[in-house]
Each structure stands twice: as structure tokens, then as C-alpha cells.
Amino acid sequence: MDIEITHVSKQFGAFTALNDVSLTVRPGELVALLGPSGSGKTTLLRIIAGMERPTSGHVLFGGEDLTGRSLRQRRVGFVFQHYALFRHMSVFENVAFGLRVKPRAHRPAEREIRERVMKLLHLVQLDPFARRYPSQLSGGQRQRVALARALAIEPAVLLLDEPFGALDAKVRKELRRWLRELHDEMQLTSLFVTHDQEEALELADRVVLMNNAVIEQVGSPQEVYDHPTSSFAYEFLGNVNRFDCSVEDGKVAVCGGEIVVPVGTVNGDGKAIAYVRPHDIEIFNGAVMSGRPAVVRYLMAAGPVARVELSVGDDGALIEAELGRAQLHALDLRVGQPVYVRARKARIFSAAGAAH
Amino acid sequence: MAGATTSKSRIAAAEPLWLRLMLIGLAILFLTLIVILPLVAVFAEALRQGIGAYFASFDDPDVLAAIRLTLLVAAIAVPLNTVFGVLASWAIAKFEFIGKSLLVTLIDLPFSVSPVVAGLVYVLVFGIHGWFGPWLVANNVQIIFAVPGLVLATIFVTFPFVARELIPLMEEQGNEEEEAALSLGASGLRTFLRVTLPNIKWGLLYGILLCNARAMGEFGAVSVVSGHIRGETNTMPLYVEILYNEYNFVAAFAVASLLAMLALVTLVLKKVIEWRFGGASTVG
């Protein structure tokens, strides 16, 4: 089922949590609402679920306006960051809850409930744990129970609020992959909230980037990562080095590199901000007389990609660079070593547009 | 952190033996003098003239009336305060509204006001010369010096117990389980019965228990509104005083022993609940 959000705003007293947000989610799509805390992403999710009422605007499921409908009437599967499992019920009863509270006329028979619950538990790979209580499960298992519970009512849409936020890194990664597979199998229209850009980029079909109560950018992970339309998007998606610079004759000098400013991004000459991804910083040994002098301050070589922190120029501003292990080996970098750096690529935004 | 705690306990354990023994001894002595001795005295006095005389005290119809009245007052006040306490803590813990902190303060009021004042207030409001007095007399409703007054005074004195117990518990548990239940299609009532109530049951029981102990034991507030009519408006605590003033020590202590036993039973149940509660709160 598709979800349509039209001109939704939400005020909490004097605080604006959402400011005229519109978004369409296509049937079967997996969409990430990504943004820093306070950006309004969770409020938007809760409005879609019916847990909050928008101050203005509408929420439509499959063309039907549900704005006035309560949480109970919307048939959404909701998964909470902290699982919100019924702590006094067994895993089985947690999953069965949504079936048991159906009106008598629609309630499945006990045998059918049993079958459906066990099928769901099998789906989330927890069949041996049916009799356990939530407190006897690990975080990852609890979240899978929460997911099975949400799926039990055969929801029209699935909403997940920071579903992996409370889990450790390894479990998070596993569960992420597993959720992606599950989604591909079930084709259930799903939205999840996250502040983790890696999670959003890896998991979602489309990423909705939010900041300050508005949607900054919507696009596929590749699109938003490669073509951020705002300085916020650039800074939020992945590590980035920020340089103040000024445009002269449609060019800027950034960190030793001369970058041509694409037509239309910055109006005329003047102050601008340049963003350079760490993997777009080139490092040379002293032999090459190109780029700006810098000193290696920190080296993190554990992992496939080495992170290097360098202080550049007279003011000693720190920048971050990334390079492959082979390259690191060839350069033979040491902390304290003087080198030269150069920006290979940069993204330029006019300084006014980057005010936030 | 671990290092800090071990070193702390080492310091505590390093107190000289004589000091530790003295402190423990002092605590035991104090407890014996203030609590255990009087408790023993109650039963000793009640049984002074033998078990026969003890049970004979309960043949007095006025004693039986006092016991019945105490049970009746508690049977009305405790359920009402339970409902009120659950509603108030629900409202306070789960919603934001204007005047919330005022409500929390008001709930605590009976703890800070002398029970005698509470009783007097009801006399002032519902007594013959009180605000509603003439109207009540005209309509032949008697509140003061009758059971309704006793119930009112008891409710006033005991209403914080349940709410005080539940507010922090419900605040800690938050709304998420209820939201989950609603999203799964459960009605509000069903959500309360299947999700909220099981989560607060031990805290609720604990609150009811304390509320009941206080409701049965209350003296000051009910004393003011009772009028001390024998066989009619004397609760057990009030009747103990009357018997004592009449030098009927055996009967006075016999009735007092019932209240003391109530206290002991309450303590044991409280311990049991704390034990269960402690186990339950680690769940989830």
C-alpha cells in the first residue's frame, strides 16, 4: 500500500517539529527517514502511525485519508527502538496478542492463532523461544519478536523507530541484512527512522534526509550520497572536510587543488564553502611539489581503509583523509611526518546557503 | 568503579570490631525498647487473665460492632482509593497537562496535614453548623457522626498510598507497551487490563496493602468525625481508647492485639510483595 503525506506540520507548543512536509512512499518500498536528533523524523513516523496528530496536513494510505483515524484503526505494524514487548507475556503470547484482541467476528480460532504465531516465530528464527519471556532474550532476539508481533496483524505498512538503535554493532549489522531480506520477501511498504547514515544508505530503497523539521533531500542512497543538494546533506552523509574558500573566476583553490565550480551551484564570485570527502584527499611524500604542506597527526590503520588525520598550513587546521592499505604502505606514513596534500574533488556551496 | 566499591567495602569492614558490635547492639537495643517491647506488651496485657478472658472480650457486642465498622470503612475507602490512585497515577505518568505538578503536590497533602485537621475540615463542611449542614439536615442526610463521615475522613487520610506507589512505577515504564497494544488493535480498556495492569500489579498490591493498614488503624481523623457512639460510630482504634479509659485493660489490649496482628500480617505480606516485586521489576 502506498503512503502519501501532504503538507504535514506539527507544533509542540512553540516548537515546530515538522514544517510542511510532503512525501510519497510507493507500495513495497523500504524508505529510511534519516536525520540528526530533533530533525522531526520520529515525529513524522509517529504521525504516520497515528500516535501523534498533525497540526495540519493529511496522511493517506492507499488513497484513503486516515488523518483522523486513531492508531488502533490504522493497521500499522510498529516496531519500537526499545522493543516495547509485553514483559509479563511469553514470546508466543506477545506475537499472539494482535490476533487475540481482534473483535470476536474476525478473531481466528485458537488452532489458527497457534499456527500463525509459530509460522511468524519461524520466520524470525525464534521458534525454540516461544515459551521464553522477553527478559530471557538478547536485544536482537527481542527486536525480532517485536517484528513478528507487528507482522502478526498483517499490517498495511510497517513502521520502525530506530529499530537497531539499542543493539550492538555486530547484531545491528546482522539484523539489518536480515530485515532487508525479509522486506524483499514480503514486499511490505516500510519506513524506518534512523540517525545512522550508514544504516540508511545500506538498507533503504530511498533515503529521506530530514533536518530542522523539513525534508532536505529524497533519493536513492547512491543519489543522495553522490549528489547532495545542500551543505547539510553533504556534511551529514559520511565524513567530510569543510573548507572556507572564495570563488574567483568560477574557480576555487581548495587545499592545494584548483577546483572548477560547476555552473549554477554558486552565484558569481564570493565566499563559499568547499566539502571534500576524506577519500578525495591525496597524500604525497615531500618529493612531489604539489599541494599544501601538512603534517601527519594521527594514523588509524586497523581495517581495510586507513584513516589519517593531518594538520594543514600555518593555522594547523585538522583534516581527515582515507587511503587504501597498499597506498598507505607505499607512502610509509608515520605520525609527525611532513607530507603534501591535495584535494582531488570538492563540492562547493555558497556560504549563505550553508548558514545552518 | 569496581575498584572504588571494593575499596569502600574494605574501609567499612576495617572498622574495629568493638565499634561494629556497639553500633549493632545499640540498634538492637533501640528497636527492642521502642518496637518489640510494646508489641510484646500488647499481647501480654491482652492475655494477662488467660486465654479465656482474652476471647471473652470479643463477646461484647460493642467490640464486634467496632470490628465490623472498621472492616466496613476499609472495604469502602480502600477500593475507592485504589480506583482514584490508579486514575491519578495514569493521568500523571502518561499525559502532559497544565496543573500536573499541582496535582502531584495535592496528592501528597494528606501526608503533611495532621489527620485531626482533616477531620475538622469535614466537620466544618458537612457538620450541622457547616457549609452544607442545613441542606443535609433538611434532606435527612447525616455525614458527620455517622459512617459516611468516617469513610470520608479515612479516604482523605489514605488516598496518597496507592498513587504514590504507582506514579514512579508508571513513569518509569512509559507509554510504549500501551502504544504497541493499541497499534495491534487492542481497545483502551483491553490495553489497560492486559498490558498496564499486569505491569503495575505488584506496586498496586503494595499500595493497597499500605492503604488498608492505614485505613484500619487511623485514629485522629476518624476520632473527630466519629462522635464516639458506642456500637455505632466507634472503629477499633477508637474503641481501644474508650476501653482503656474505662480501665478495661484486658479488652482494650485484646482489641489492640487484633490491630497489632493486622500490622504483623501487613509486614509479612509487604515483605512477600517486595520479594516478588523485586523479581518482577528486573524483568524486561
Side-chain angles (χ1 to χ4, degrees):
Chain A
M1 193 175 293
D2 64 316
I3 305 171
E4 213 179 325
I5 296 143
T6 54
H7 303 291
V8 162
S9 295
K10 177 71 183 175
Q11 293 290 136
F12 290 108
F15 176 72
T16 304
L18 289 174
N19 187 6
D20 194 24
V21 168
S22 295
L23 176 70
T24 305
V25 181
R26 292 185 282 266
E29 207 176 15
L30 180 56
V31 168
L33 298 176
L34 173 67
S37 50
S39 59
K41 56 192 194 302
T42 295
T43 306
L44 182 58
L45 194 78
R46 289 175 64 87
I47 283 176
I48 296 170
M51 290 173 185
E52 306 277 356
R53 251 158 223 245
T55 312
S56 63
H58 297 271
V59 176
L60 292 85
F61 284 11
E64 191 185 353
D65 191 344
L66 295 184
T67 314
R69 302 274 186 85
S70 69
L71 165 65
R72 195 187 159 202
Q73 297 163 321
R74 289 198 189 186
R75 235 163 48 90
V76 294
F78 200 98
V79 175
F80 295 83
Q81 178 177 5
H82 298 287
Y83 331 121
L85 294 178
F86 306 129
R87 64 194 88 184
H88 61 277
M89 291 183 205
S90 66
V91 166
F92 182 93
E93 285 303 322
N94 262 281
V95 179
F97 186 86
L99 301 173
R100 291 202 196 286
V101 299
K102 275 181 192 277
R104 201 175 294 273
H106 304 284
R107 195 183 309 158
E110 186 60 36
R111 233 194 69 214
E112 203 192 328
I113 291 180
R114 181 154 288 278
E115 273 170 19
R116 276 170 70 178
V117 170
M118 288 319 289
K119 214 169 127 189
L120 281 162
L121 286 179
H122 182 73
L123 182 73
V124 298
Q125 301 154 9
L126 284 173
D127 6 14
F129 297 91
R131 283 156 181 274
R132 299 265 189 107
Y133 281 82
S135 58
Q136 298 166 311
L137 301 179
S138 71
Q141 289 169 334
R142 286 184 211 185
Q143 198 56 296
R144 280 186 279 154
V145 175
L147 197 64
R149 182 178 70 175
L151 293 174
I153 58 164
E154 294 176 334
V157 300
L158 185 63
L159 306 174
L160 307 103
D161 183 11
E162 305 245 4
F164 315 119
L167 304 170
D168 61 65
K170 189 163 173 285
V171 177
R172 203 182 309 171
K173 202 141 193 159
E174 276 172 27
L175 213 53
R176 216 189 276 168
R177 188 173 313 132
W178 177 81
L179 181 71
R180 180 71 238 184
E181 282 166 15
L182 190 76
H183 177 265
D184 291 345
E185 210 172 291
M186 300 190 48
Q187 294 293 317
L188 188 60
T189 310
S190 309
L191 266 108
F192 71 98
V193 159
T194 180
H195 60 256
D196 180 347
Q197 38 95 9
E198 191 191 319
E199 191 170 293
L201 296 176
E202 188 183 314
L203 193 53
D205 296 322
R206 268 200 309 159
V207 175
V208 176
L209 186 61
M210 296 190 67
N211 185 35
N212 282 331
V214 297
I215 293 177
E216 287 271 347
Q217 191 175 356
V218 181
S220 71
Q222 185 90 48
E223 263 165 45
V224 294
Y225 187 79
D226 288 344
H227 306 288
T229 52
S230 63
S231 59
F232 167 77
Y234 217 98
E235 279 195 55
F236 196 74
L237 293 166
N239 285 335
V240 73
N241 295 299
R242 178 186 165 131
F243 300 94
D244 291 318
C245 57
S246 40
V247 181
E248 277 164 41
D249 302 329
K251 284 181 190 167
V252 283
V254 177
C255 193
E258 189 161 272
I259 312 281
V260 177
V261 179
V263 181
T265 48
V266 179
N267 293 329
D269 293 357
K271 290 227 168 298
I273 289 160
Y275 290 104
V276 183
R277 296 268 186 226
H279 52 75
D280 286 328
I281 300 262
E282 289 176 293
I283 301 177
F284 304 97
N285 271 326
V288 183
M289 282 308 290
S290 165
R292 295 190 66 192
V295 180
V296 177
R297 292 291 175 204
Y298 175 79
L299 254 172
M300 207 285 291
V305 174
R307 270 181 46 219
V308 186
E309 259 179 35
L310 310 117
S311 59
V312 186
D314 306 329
D315 55 350
L318 282 178
I319 64 165
E320 205 175 293
E322 277 174 12
L323 60 168
R325 292 191 75 90
Q327 225 179 326
L328 180 77
H329 197 73
L331 285 168
D332 193 24
L333 293 182
R334 299 261 181 278
V335 173
Q337 186 180 334
V339 290
Y340 286 83
V341 292
R342 189 173 66 192
R344 198 182 287 138
K345 268 204 288 193
R347 182 72 207 257
I348 318 293
F349 293 95
S350 65
H356 53 254
Chain B
M1 282 309 285
T5 43
T6 47
S7 69
K8 206 169 188 179
S9 66
R10 216 175 282 138
I11 289 168
E15 300 288 357
L17 185 67
W18 64 266
L19 187 65
R20 269 186 285 159
L21 286 181
M22 199 183 77
L23 285 174
I24 293 168
L26 215 65
I28 289 175
L29 182 75
F30 213 71
L31 208 66
T32 309
L33 224 69
I34 304 292
V35 179
I36 298 173
L37 215 59
L39 198 64
V40 172
V42 169
F43 290 97
E45 282 296 319
L47 293 168
R48 180 188 285 273
Q49 287 166 22
I51 198 104
Y54 176 81
F55 283 110
S57 312
F58 299 115
D59 283 341
D60 180 356
D62 289 348
V63 169
L64 291 177
I67 294 172
R68 267 200 304 274
L69 184 62
T70 296
L71 292 176
L72 175 71
V73 168
I76 300 170
V78 173
L80 283 177
N81 274 338
T82 303
V83 172
F84 167 80
V86 170
L87 290 179
S89 22
W90 178 279
I92 287 165
K94 314 262 167 175
F95 303 109
E96 290 301 323
F97 54 91
I98 300 163
K100 180 163 149 172
S101 60
L102 186 72
L103 185 59
V104 176
T105 314
L106 278 179
I107 286 174
D108 277 341
L109 187 71
F111 278 161
S112 51
V113 165
S114 160
V116 176
V117 175
L120 279 173
V121 167
Y122 285 110
V123 172
L124 190 73
V125 175
F126 298 114
I128 292 179
H129 304 292
W131 294 351
F132 302 121
W135 185 86
L136 291 170
V137 170
N139 288 281
N140 211 10
V141 180
Q142 194 172 5
I143 290 182
I144 301 304
F145 307 144
V147 176
L150 295 173
V151 172
L152 275 178
T154 306
I155 287 177
F156 179 88
V157 174
T158 57
F159 85 56
F161 286 96
V162 172
R164 273 284 107 194
E165 207 53 55
L166 291 186
I167 290 168
L169 186 64
M170 284 174 127
E171 275 179 341
E172 184 211 311
Q173 290 179 346
N175 282 339
E176 285 199 342
E177 283 184 49
E178 279 83 5
E179 281 179 339
L182 291 171
S183 79
L184 293 168
S187 65
L189 181 67
R190 191 124 191 176
T191 301
F192 177 77
L193 293 177
R194 294 274 322 260
V195 176
T196 310
L197 206 55
N199 279 349
I200 61 169
K201 68 182 171 201
W202 293 112
L204 184 62
L205 260 173
Y206 191 89
I208 292 173
L209 194 69
L210 295 181
C211 180
N212 183 60
R214 184 66 195 270
M216 290 190 172
E218 175 55 22
F219 181 85
V222 291
S223 176
V224 178
V225 296
S226 145
H228 306 281
I229 307 163
R230 259 175 207 265
E232 280 183 34
T233 62
N234 277 328
T235 59
M236 284 162 70
L238 299 180
Y239 203 59
V240 169
E241 196 203 19
I242 289 176
L243 289 169
Y244 186 81
N245 286 344
E246 292 171 346
Y247 303 104
N248 192 350
F249 295 132
V250 170
F253 281 104
V255 178
S257 73
L258 289 185
L259 288 169
M261 275 190 267
L262 169 75
L264 292 176
V265 169
T266 302
L267 269 182
V268 170
L269 286 178
K270 182 170 162 272
K271 215 62 220 170
V272 170
I273 290 175
E274 268 169 8
W275 173 68
R276 281 300 318 252
F277 195 20
S281 68
T282 55
V283 168

